[in-house]
Amino acid sequence: MENKELVIVQDGDKFSTDSFVVKDIGGRYEAGSVLAGQVKISFVDAFDTLEQAKEAYPEAEVTHPHLLPQNTFDHLPDDQEY
């Protein structure tokens, strides 16, 4: 069973309405994935305000989107398959 590690991040840009998204960053990609072993970021829920998100998920940590784990493909070979 995977550990749940919930975070709340503000989602949106200058062209859209901001929302507050709850994400689970406690899982890892399985061995058969090209992202094997890296953090799996899963959508959980979304809210119009931070207060609503914190009320629904009091255990979630509020963070900035740039502080979320970043997955890479650096472990893959550079040669292309045809």
Side-chain angles (χ1 to χ4, degrees), residues 3 5-9 23-29 35 37-42 61-73:
N3 293 334
E5 185 178 341
L6 300 179
V7 294
I8 300 171
V9 294
K23 297 182 179 189
D24 180 3
I25 60 171
R28 300 274 183 230
Y29 283 96
L35 295 175
Q38 297 187 54
V39 175
K40 182 186 277 189
I41 301 173
S42 303
E61 180 181 336
V62 179
T63 190
H64 191 279
H66 292 146
L67 297 177
L68 291 176
Q70 301 294 310
N71 290 325
T72 68
F73 294 99

Side-chain angles (χ1 to χ4, degrees), residues 5-59:
E5 185 178 341
L6 300 179
V7 294
I8 300 171
V9 294
Q10 189 171 5
D11 193 31
D13 56 30
K14 63 183 179 181
F15 302 109
S16 66
T17 304
D18 287 341
S19 63
F20 292 87
V21 179
V22 179
K23 297 182 179 189
D24 180 3
I25 60 171
R28 300 274 183 230
Y29 283 96
E30 301 80 24
S33 170
V34 295
L35 295 175
Q38 297 187 54
V39 175
K40 182 186 277 189
I41 301 173
S42 303
F43 173 85
V44 176
D45 212 341
F47 299 90
D48 293 329
T49 68
L50 177 58
E51 291 74 23
Q52 291 171 331
K54 288 167 65 174
E55 184 178 329
Y57 296 92
E59 72 280 16

